[in-house]
């Protein structure tokens, strides 16, 4: 496949963290292809991740890439707004940030205009404060400390948002949050899916297992409720991914649940191709996994919220369940007939999110921002 036409705009690219390879890293790697000479910065991360993203030779981190620091990076959360503010990135025509937390607070030496591709305003401070408080802040003192931290992070996040020239949301769901939390009116550019990589295997059949895929993070991804649901189901469940909740989720899983760990793309695609369906229990900002599964010709069973409402077509590419409980997932799986969906129709729907469309749109908005804002 021919790569994108490289932009001549002098850009610097910044991302939150590169500690694991997930959906956000796929997306910013696609952005980096459009600006092949742009240095790439993240707050903290692993060289193995940036190598997988294809940018290892131009990747830099603000904090040193020591494994102990990377493993415990969430403990530094209160410090990240100040760390980002204190580090000026190289001068450029435009700063392109890829942000679900702190990257939109970066600035360049020459205060270049910024295009922020926003996956979500900081979740624990804005849209999921109650979920994280329940999980992390048991007891009155911890709750008070957590609420104080969330309030401080909201204030810092608003200040960072003031330096963004152009916000780009990855879905209408996130665009609404940007309007509500930041008072800004973003453009919407849906994320890309590599439809040459994620493709059907040819026969359209499946191996009678269900698939969970993504970062193992609770409560955000809500994999635990799906694993609990399969405790009372006869079907197999495969879990592809890694993350801080791995041990917790493995402990609560039954014998019909198999953890595959983090998979490279050439390992993940065959697993998606042979799944009866991919489960998607989280309220994602967009959700690449459902579209990647559909690009493989396989249906999706998704929670009816967030970006999935913009990608999954009930009766054509999968089905929704409307409560995030093990019982709702169990009922959805028991009533699901994988043979009722046409793999060709599922695949055709996924092609609406093909990679070239995304890269052309990103290039246009970045070049327009650089031209109209100056440097």
């Amino acid at each position: 496949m021919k790569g994108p036409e490289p932009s001549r705009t002098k850009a610097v690219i910044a991302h939150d963290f590169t500690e694991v390879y997930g959906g956000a890293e796929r997306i910013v790697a696609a952005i980096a292809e459009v600006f092949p000479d742009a240095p790439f910065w993240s707050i903290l991360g692993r060289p193995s991740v940036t190598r997988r993203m294809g940018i290892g030779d131009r990747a830099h981190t603000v904090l040193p890439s020591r494994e102990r620091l990377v493993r415990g990076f969430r403990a530094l959360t209160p410090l990240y707004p100040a760390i980002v503010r204190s580090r000026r990135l190289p001068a450029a025509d435009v700063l392109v940030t890829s942000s679900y937390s702190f990257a939109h607070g970066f600035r360049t030496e020459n205060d270049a205009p910024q295009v922020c591709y926003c996956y979500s305003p900081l979740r624990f401070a804005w849209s999921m404060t109650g979920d994280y408080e329940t999980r992390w802040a048991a007891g009155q003192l911890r709750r008070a400390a957590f609420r104080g931290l969330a309030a401080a992070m909201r204030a810092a996040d608003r200040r960072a948002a003031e330096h963004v020239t152009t916000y780009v949301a990855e879905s209408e769901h996130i665009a609404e949050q940007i309007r509500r939390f930041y008072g800004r009116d973003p453009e919407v550019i849906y994320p890309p899916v590599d439809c040459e990589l994620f493709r059907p295997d040819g026969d359209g059949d499946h191996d009678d297992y269900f698939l969970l895929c993504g970062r193992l993070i609770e409560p955000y991804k809500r994999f635990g409720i799906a694993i609990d649901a399969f405790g009372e189901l006869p079907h197999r469940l495969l879990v592809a991914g890694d993350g801080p909740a791995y041990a917790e989720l493995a402990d609560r899983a039954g014998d019909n649940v198999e953890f595959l760990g983090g998979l490279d793309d050439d390992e993940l695609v065959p697993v998606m191709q042979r799944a009866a369906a991919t489960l998607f229990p989280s309220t994602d900002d967009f959700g690449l996994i459902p579209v990647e599964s559909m690009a493989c010709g396989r249906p999706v069973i998704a929670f009816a919220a967030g970006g999935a409402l913009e990608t999954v077509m009930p009766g054509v590419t999968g089905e929704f369940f409307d409560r995030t409980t093990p019982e709702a997932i169990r009922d959805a799986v028991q009533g699901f007939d994988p043979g009722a969906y046409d793999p060709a129709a599922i695949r055709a729907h996924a092609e609406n999110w093909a990679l070239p469309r995304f890269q052309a749109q990103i290039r246009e908005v970045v070049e327009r921002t650089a031209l109209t804002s100056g440097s």
Side-chain angles (χ1 to χ4, degrees):
M1 178 181 177
K2 183 181 178 182
E5 188 69 24
S7 175
R8 296 182 180 180
T9 300
K10 184 180 179 182
V12 172
I13 301 172
H15 184 58
D16 295 304
F17 303 98
T18 49
E19 92 284 5
V20 297
Y21 183 76
E25 290 67 43
R26 284 188 187 278
I27 293 167
V28 73
I31 295 173
E33 285 186 355
V34 182
F35 305 95
D37 297 324
F40 182 97
W41 287 81
S42 60
I43 302 169
L44 187 64
R46 294 184 172 93
S48 60
V49 173
T50 51
R51 285 195 297 269
R52 184 174 177 184
M53 293 166 65
I55 56 168
D57 60 340
R58 51 179 164 137
H60 313 271
T61 58
V62 174
L63 299 178
S65 296
R66 297 181 183 137
E67 185 58 28
R68 178 180 293 182
L69 190 60
V70 175
R71 284 200 307 269
F73 79 102
R74 288 178 178 80
L76 298 178
T77 292
L79 304 179
Y80 287 133
I83 290 170
V84 168
R85 286 196 306 270
S86 69
R87 183 57 179 263
R88 290 282 183 138
L89 302 185
D93 296 333
V94 63
L95 169 63
V96 182
T97 57
S98 162
S99 185
Y100 49 82
S101 57
F102 306 106
H104 66 156
F106 278 118
R107 299 171 71 181
T108 66
E109 292 173 352
N110 64 328
D111 284 322
Q114 179 186 165
V115 174
C116 176
Y117 191 83
C118 183
Y119 308 97
S120 171
L122 185 61
R123 294 183 188 94
F124 87 84
W126 295 107
S127 60
M128 295 187 68
T129 305
D131 298 278
Y132 282 100
E133 180 181 321
T134 298
R135 180 174 178 80
W136 291 349
Q140 187 173 351
L141 290 177
R142 287 188 176 183
R143 279 198 301 272
F146 179 85
R147 290 172 184 176
L149 174 62
M153 291 295 102
R154 283 193 293 272
D157 203 42
R158 283 197 195 97
R159 288 195 296 270
E162 293 173 358
H163 296 289
V164 176
T165 310
T166 304
Y167 264 108
V168 180
E170 70 167 347
S171 67
E172 292 291 349
H173 172 65
I174 293 306
E176 188 277 330
Q177 291 188 12
I178 292 171
R179 295 184 193 104
R180 180 155 43 103
F181 301 144
Y182 299 153
R184 305 290 297 277
D185 191 22
E187 303 185 34
V188 175
I189 298 178
Y190 287 114
V193 169
D194 188 341
C195 290
E196 293 195 1
L197 173 64
F198 294 92
R199 62 195 186 281
D201 67 354
D203 66 11
D205 204 355
H206 64 88
D207 290 338
D208 198 31
Y209 60 79
F210 291 81
L211 174 66
L212 274 174
C213 184
R215 295 180 183 180
L216 305 187
I217 304 174
E218 294 288 301
Y220 169 39
K221 289 296 185 180
R222 298 188 179 122
F223 280 15
I225 61 169
I227 289 170
D228 292 345
F230 273 76
E232 299 183 31
L233 287 169
H235 309 284
R236 286 192 300 150
L237 175 66
L238 303 190
V239 182
D242 202 352
Y246 183 98
E248 171 194 341
L249 294 172
D251 284 345
R252 66 200 284 182
D255 293 340
N256 60 333
V257 178
E258 179 181 355
F259 287 81
L260 305 178
L263 300 180
D264 291 335
D265 291 340
D266 59 349
E267 298 170 311
L268 175 61
V269 170
V271 175
M272 279 189 170
Q273 290 171 335
R274 304 302 298 180
T278 294
L279 297 177
F280 197 70
S282 65
T283 304
D284 262 34
D285 319 314
F286 174 77
L288 279 176
I289 295 299
V291 185
E292 290 170 347
S293 179
M294 291 186 285
C296 292
R298 302 310 309 159
V300 176
I301 304 174
F303 177 50
L309 292 172
E310 300 173 47
T311 60
V312 179
M313 295 179 63
V316 178
T317 68
E319 303 296 340
F320 288 119
F321 58 94
D322 59 8
R323 290 173 294 115
T324 52
T325 64
E327 294 76 19
I329 293 177
R330 186 169 63 246
D331 291 345
V333 170
Q334 287 176 330
F336 191 76
D337 177 11
Y341 305 88
D342 178 9
I346 298 173
R347 165 71 182 189
H349 179 66
E351 288 174 348
N352 289 316
W353 291 275
L355 179 60
R357 179 268 320 161
F358 170 82
Q359 291 180 318
Q361 290 178 319
I362 283 292
R363 174 176 174 160
E364 190 279 328
V365 73
V366 170
E367 291 180 346
R368 171 167 34 95
T369 300
L371 182 63
T372 59
S373 301
S375 60

